[in-house]
Amino acid sequence: WPELIVIGGGIAKHADKFLERIDPGCEVRVAELGNLAGIVGAALAAALPGATEHSAEPTPVGVTDGS
C-alpha cells in the first residue's frame, strides 16, 4: 500500500467535502498546486532529458512487457 496519496487536479478544490469521509489507510494530502498539479507535472516530465524518446502510447493497467 502507498504511504501517501496526493489529491490533485480539479477534485482538489472540493477536497474539504470528502477528505473526512475516506480512510485509505495512509496519509492523504491535497496538492499545493491544486488544479494545476497535473499540468505542472506533465510539463516537468516533458522537460526531462530523453522525454521525447518515449512512446506516447499509454500502457493499459495490468499489462506488462513480458520481461
Side-chain angles (χ1 to χ4, degrees):
W1 290 100
E3 295 179 18
L4 171 67
I5 295 175
V6 179
I7 306 293
I11 197 168
K13 59 184 154 189
H14 302 292
D16 59 320
K17 296 181 181 178
F18 67 85
L19 278 182
E20 293 181 4
R21 299 178 187 194
I22 62 171
D23 182 15
C26 66
E27 183 179 359
V28 178
R29 292 187 192 172
V30 177
E32 290 182 16
L33 296 175
N35 195 35
L36 295 176
I39 296 167
V40 172
L44 287 172
L48 292 174
T52 58
E53 297 173 16
H54 300 289
S55 171
E57 293 296 318
T59 302
V61 174
V63 175
T64 62
D65 64 1
S67 56

